[in-house]
Amino acid sequence: MLRAWEDFVKGKRKRVDVNDFARTLLDNLWQLHFDLKNNTYVHGGYLEYVICDPKKRMIHKASVRDRVVHRVIYNALYRYFDKRFVHDSYSSRKGKGMHKARDRFKYFVRKVSKNCTKQCFVLKFDIQKCFASIDQKVLLCLLRRNIADDKLFDIAKNIVESFGCGLPLGNFTSQLFINVYLHELDLFCKQELHIKYYLRYADDVVVVSNDEYELEVIHKRIADFLLRKLFLITHKKSITTISHGVDVLGVIFFPRYGILRKRTRVKMALRNLAAEPMGEGRNVEF
């Protein structure tokens, strides 16, 4: 419980709700431990608010008490599931991330294009309203298949079912659960379709090939699998040659170089601005 608290509280020590919980920290953690141990823990509701990143997103924020439980569950499950995920799943994983995904994509392009001497096609698509469209029953079946401990599964189930449908963007566990859910897609692409140059970052999927028709067939089979097995719908599908530029993973890639897309540059500039110390005469708040 203390380790989960320390993981959770990083970067949040100045927040009012976190400070309120911290004032009687040991009492709160002891009560939480008692509730979890005796199966009396019940997940509370959510506070809704909108962020622009720059796209508008609805965030659902749980109480500090519940978010500490999210950390407990994440810490208990992450290592087990991470070992089972395919190599080319890059979102919300230690040692992975956006930069590694971009490097892997560039490697795929070099291999398929024979160092930019042959034609290279890129299939990319995402999943329509992915978090909101997650089928909780399917997710719980996947978790039950992997979690032998009944008490641990019951807490995970409590978290999943605390939200009306799908997964809330604000839950730390949602990052892990979305990977557990879409791992089924990764396995289908690798084991059934035998796609060599495939990667996924969150709900963004990229496949590289020298055959445009092959990519059309791959997308059709993936779309059918997602709809039948996971009740998800593909979105924003495109097949583009790398020579014309491929907008993927926040970068517009060309055969020998890439350009950060405008939205990515704006987002990075805002983050850098927020990270800078306030100078004299500066009147900006975040």
Side-chain angles (χ1 to χ4, degrees), residues 140-157:
L140 290 173
C141 284
L142 296 173
L143 293 175
R144 176 77 280 187
R145 185 193 303 169
N146 288 278
I147 302 174
D149 185 272
D150 291 337
K151 192 165 290 187
L152 187 59
F153 172 76
D154 286 343
I155 300 169
K157 182 181 179 183

Side-chain angles (χ1 to χ4, degrees), residues 11 29 33 45-46 58 80 94 102 111 130 134 141 145 152 168 206 235 238 245 249-250 258 266 279 281:
L29 292 184
H33 166 76
Y46 293 86
M58 178 64 75
Y80 169 86
K94 296 172 185 176
R102 290 170 182 165
K111 293 292 287 186
C130 186
I134 295 299
C141 284
R145 185 193 303 169
L152 187 59
V206 180
H235 183 234
S238 69
L249 301 170
V266 170

Side-chain angles (χ1 to χ4, degrees), residues 55-111:
K55 182 180 176 181
K56 281 189 176 182
R57 300 179 188 276
M58 178 64 75
I59 303 297
H60 293 84
K61 180 181 176 181
S63 68
V64 172
R65 182 175 186 269
D66 292 328
R67 283 183 283 160
V68 173
V69 175
H70 299 172
R71 276 289 183 169
V72 170
I73 294 301
Y74 181 89
N75 289 348
L77 296 179
Y78 174 81
R79 191 174 298 177
Y80 169 86
F81 280 110
D82 189 65
K83 290 178 180 178
R84 285 154 178 78
F85 292 152
V86 301
H87 175 79
D88 288 313
S89 166
Y90 287 89
S91 176
S92 303
R93 297 181 64 190
K94 296 172 185 176
K96 299 283 185 177
M98 182 66 80
H99 292 294
K100 291 287 181 69
R102 290 170 182 165
D103 289 343
R104 187 66 164 168
F105 174 73
K106 289 187 285 187
Y107 168 77
F108 286 171
V109 169
R110 287 197 302 270
K111 293 292 287 186

Side-chain angles (χ1 to χ4, degrees), residues 188 221 223-232:
F188 175 74
R221 293 194 64 183
D224 177 66
F225 171 82
L226 285 171
L227 190 59
R228 284 187 301 105
K229 298 293 186 181
L230 300 178
F231 307 107
L232 299 174

Side-chain angles (χ1 to χ4, degrees), residues 12-24:
K12 304 183 185 73
R13 294 184 184 274
K14 294 182 180 180
R15 298 181 184 176
V16 175
D17 55 348
V18 175
N19 279 326
D20 288 344
F21 190 89
R23 284 193 187 97
T24 53

